[in-house]
């Protein structure tokens, strides 16, 4: 059963209705459900389907391709190169019954071995043959977790495949609502606070959620997923980056810097200094690809130059790995159960909840009743000086109707209480933004919390409050 993905399914099925042959790329991070979506949408009915071999040589890739041709009913020898391989695919298509021929090639980036000229052969197959067929009956769907490869070789290609894609689908992780539906579908008795905590750890990656076991608490599930000797996701971190990037070591240097740096983020120059990487186009590409893959976010203050932008690590699982898994080093099989009430755990929850809110801006806009209002969603920060302290607001929504929502996100087991110190901090942020930003709109303070805000003497500062339930819409 597919949870959500209605829009993506509709787009995929619409390929069958087009008059011309169609070329579609589906991409997204590892374990997000790309293959499952495509197979379920087409009910596992393909004229031809193939999956690349992870870290396979050219010979191994061609052998696997031959095996897929044989599985589709064709008898043939192992092709010597990709040109021959696609010639065999043409024969298979020519011998197939009339009607649309759906071809599904999964993990296409894995097939691109050094000196294999996969892209050249694919260009020849698509430009010189598939689109020239009088029948106009080809639907080619390629898929891959290596977002950077898909982007460079297909989306931004300057060669023969430039502009040839007729549809691109970037499959993103589930939101809270979809994870709640997934849990219900798996008969997991979790309340929303449980789903929220799991989301702060697992993000919206369906594969991770599939390992959760009914009858176990959140803490017990987390321990069995990450901290026991046979934990299913014990080695996921290394596999995650190795799968997405051909040379992951430099990407991980950037991730290491951001995990150890300020929670507010680091500038490009600070990352260069801490990582000891060389400046230049390669470094810029690393940052771009990490951002495209959803591991980091780049944000400039709403009213400052892009050169002052900060980079933050925002991937839920990666942050959980650095803060909890790597530090524990598997020394305690009941780590999460034993620390779930600790001060460090509560601090982690506070930071993690902020990330979840940033991943659910559409839900926040709906709760505010401004989903149809043109809005510039950004962050704002000012660095501290000798004269004044710094300030940072992670979520600013500048609205076309003349208002700006200053959003504060706070996790609390009970109703959140604005005390005197926090009230002063909030007022300082509002005053600093009003004075130093170029924004002349009316400011509204919005509190986004798990369980609401206590109506004490400081509550009058708040113009609107949003609770956890509204993030599940």
């Amino acid at each position: 059963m597919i949870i959500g993905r209605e829009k993506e399914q509709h787009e995929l099925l619409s390929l069958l209705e087009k008059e011309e042959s169609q070329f579609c790329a589906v991409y997204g991070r590892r374990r997000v459900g790309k293959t499952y979506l495509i197979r379920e949408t087409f009910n596992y009915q393909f004229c031809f389907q193939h999956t690349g071999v992870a870290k396979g040589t050219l010979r191994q890739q061609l052998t696997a391709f031959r095996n897929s041709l044989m599985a589709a009913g064709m008898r043939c020898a192992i092709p010597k190169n990709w040109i021959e391989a696609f010639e065999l695919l043409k024969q298979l298509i020519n011998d197939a019954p009339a009607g649309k021929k759906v071809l599904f090639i999964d993990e296409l980036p894995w097939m691109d071995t050094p000196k294999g000229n996969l892209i050249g052969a694919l260009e020849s197959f698509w430009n010189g043959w598939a689109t020239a067929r009088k029948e106009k009956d080809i639907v080619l769907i390629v898929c891959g977790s290596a977002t950077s490869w898909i982007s460079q070789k297909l989306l931004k290609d300057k060669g023969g495949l430039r502009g040839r894609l007729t549809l691109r689908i970037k499959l993103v992780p589930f939101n809270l609502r979809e994870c709640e539906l997934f849990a219900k579908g798996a008969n997991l008795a979790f309340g929303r606070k449980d789903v929220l905590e799991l989301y702060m750890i697992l993000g919206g990656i369906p594969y991770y959620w599939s390992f959760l076991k009914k009858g176990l608490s959140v803490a017990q599930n987390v321990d069995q997923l990450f901290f026991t000797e046979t934990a299913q996701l014990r080695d996921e971190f290394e596999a995650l980056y190795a799968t997405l990037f051909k040379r992951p070591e430099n990407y991980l240097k950037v991730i290491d810097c951001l995990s150890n740096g300020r929670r507010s983020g680091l500038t490009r120059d600070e990352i260069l200094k801490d990582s000891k990487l060389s400046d230049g186009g390669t470094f810029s590409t690393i940052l771009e690809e990490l951002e495209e893959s959803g591991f980091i976010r780049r944000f400039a203050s709403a009213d400052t130059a892009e050169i002052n932008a900060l980079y933050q690590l925002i991937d839920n699982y990666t942050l959980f790995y650095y803060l909890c898994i790597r530090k524990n080093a598997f020394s305690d099989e009941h780590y999460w159960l034993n620390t779930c009430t600790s001060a460090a755990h509560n601090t982690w929850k506070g930071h993690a909840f902020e990330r979840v809110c940033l991943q659910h801006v559409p839900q926040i806009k709906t709760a505010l009743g401004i989903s149809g209002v043109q809005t510039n969603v950004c962050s704002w920060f000012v660095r501290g000086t000798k004269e004044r302290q710094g300030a940072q607001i992670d979520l600013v929504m500048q609205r076309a109707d003349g208002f700006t929502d200053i959003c504060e996100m706070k996790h609390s087991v009970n109703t959140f209480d604005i005390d005197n110190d926090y009230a002063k901090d909030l007022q300082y942020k509002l005053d600093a933004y009003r004075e130093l930003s170029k924004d002349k709109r009316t400011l509204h303070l919005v509190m986004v919390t798990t369980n609401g805000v206590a109506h004490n003497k400081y509550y009058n500062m708040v113009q609107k409050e949003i609770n956890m339930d509204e993030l599940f819409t």
Side-chain angles (χ1 to χ4, degrees), residues 118-184:
L118 171 69
I119 291 299
L122 181 59
E123 287 178 7
S124 176
F125 169 78
W126 184 254
N127 296 338
W129 187 80
T131 57
R133 281 173 62 84
K134 181 179 179 181
E135 295 83 355
K136 301 178 181 180
D137 56 355
I138 305 297
V139 175
L140 173 59
I141 302 171
V142 299
C143 183
S145 298
T147 303
S148 59
W149 188 96
I150 296 287
S151 178
Q152 292 174 12
K153 303 286 187 172
L154 297 181
L155 306 185
K156 300 177 182 178
D157 180 66
K158 297 180 181 179
L161 290 178
R162 181 177 179 84
R164 294 297 183 174
L165 285 177
T166 54
L167 177 65
R168 60 183 71 181
I169 297 176
K170 182 179 180 181
L171 202 62
V172 299
F174 282 165
N175 59 32
L176 280 168
R177 175 60 177 161
E178 289 164 335
C179 286
E180 182 179 48
L181 292 173
F182 188 101
K184 287 181 178 178

Side-chain angles (χ1 to χ4, degrees), residues 378-398:
C378 55
S379 299
W380 180 84
F381 61 89
V382 60
R383 299 185 184 282
T385 65
K386 292 181 179 179
E387 290 74 28
R388 68 186 308 150
Q389 68 184 63
Q392 178 164 340
I393 305 169
D394 281 336
L395 181 55
V396 177
M397 292 191 285
Q398 301 170 332

Side-chain angles (χ1 to χ4, degrees), residues 380 388 426-436 443:
W380 180 84
R388 68 186 308 150
L426 286 174
Q427 193 60 56
Y428 178 79
K429 286 185 179 182
L430 292 170
D431 292 342
Y433 182 86
R434 187 180 288 109
E435 177 187 351
L436 301 174
L443 303 187

Side-chain angles (χ1 to χ4, degrees), residues 29-282:
R29 61 166 288 169
R30 170 181 164 92
R31 311 297 201 188
V32 80
K34 302 178 296 297
T35 303
Y36 183 75
L37 168 68
I38 296 167
R39 288 175 176 170
E40 285 286 318
T41 298
F42 292 100
N43 197 27
Y44 296 77
Q45 301 299 308
F46 302 103
C47 174
F48 173 76
Q49 62 176 318
H50 172 68
T51 301
V53 180
K55 299 181 180 179
T57 63
L58 176 59
R59 175 71 175 179
Q60 290 170 330
Q61 301 290 353
L62 291 168
T63 300
F65 197 86
R66 186 280 308 267
N67 294 343
S68 295
L69 288 167
M70 294 181 68
M74 183 179 197
R75 296 181 63 84
C76 58
I78 298 172
K80 296 183 178 62
N81 51 53
W82 285 117
I83 292 292
E84 281 192 19
F86 280 102
E87 285 298 321
L88 293 171
L89 181 56
K90 292 178 189 178
Q91 295 178 33
L92 177 72
I93 294 170
N94 284 329
D95 293 339
K100 292 288 185 180
K101 281 86 173 171
V102 182
L103 317 175
F104 175 33
I105 301 179
D106 197 5
E107 296 298 358
L108 179 68
W110 290 352
M111 299 162 58
D112 187 21
T113 57
K115 300 181 181 180
N117 194 28
L118 171 69
I119 291 299
L122 181 59
E123 287 178 7
S124 176
F125 169 78
W126 184 254
N127 296 338
W129 187 80
T131 57
R133 281 173 62 84
K134 181 179 179 181
E135 295 83 355
K136 301 178 181 180
D137 56 355
I138 305 297
V139 175
L140 173 59
I141 302 171
V142 299
C143 183
S145 298
T147 303
S148 59
W149 188 96
I150 296 287
S151 178
Q152 292 174 12
K153 303 286 187 172
L154 297 181
L155 306 185
K156 300 177 182 178
D157 180 66
K158 297 180 181 179
L161 290 178
R162 181 177 179 84
R164 294 297 183 174
L165 285 177
T166 54
L167 177 65
R168 60 183 71 181
I169 297 176
K170 182 179 180 181
L171 202 62
V172 299
F174 282 165
N175 59 32
L176 280 168
R177 175 60 177 161
E178 289 164 335
C179 286
E180 182 179 48
L181 292 173
F182 188 101
K184 287 181 178 178
N187 294 314
L188 301 169
F190 291 144
R192 284 189 166 173
K193 67 178 182 61
D194 303 316
V195 173
L196 175 62
E197 180 168 354
L198 286 166
Y199 196 93
M200 292 191 295
I201 297 168
L202 305 175
I205 306 302
Y207 178 78
Y208 299 165
W209 284 76
S210 70
F211 287 113
L212 297 172
K213 295 180 180 179
K214 59 190 297 187
L216 299 183
S217 68
V218 169
Q220 288 173 316
N221 264 298
V222 173
D223 281 333
Q224 65 92 18
L225 277 178
F226 297 106
F227 299 111
T228 64
E229 187 175 350
T230 58
Q232 292 96 329
L233 298 179
R234 181 168 179 160
D235 301 319
E236 173 64 13
F237 182 79
E238 289 76 13
L240 175 61
Y241 286 87
T243 300
L244 291 174
F245 308 110
K246 281 193 173 181
R247 295 178 179 175
E249 54 275 3
N250 287 339
Y251 294 82
L252 286 172
K253 287 180 181 178
V254 173
I255 296 294
D256 286 342
C257 290
L258 293 175
S259 71
N260 295 319
R262 297 185 305 271
R263 187 169 64 89
S264 59
L266 300 175
T267 65
R268 188 180 192 278
D269 288 343
E270 287 172 331
I271 298 171
L272 274 170
K273 180 181 178 181
D274 293 347
S275 67
K276 296 180 172 54
L277 293 172
S278 300
D279 197 0
T282 300

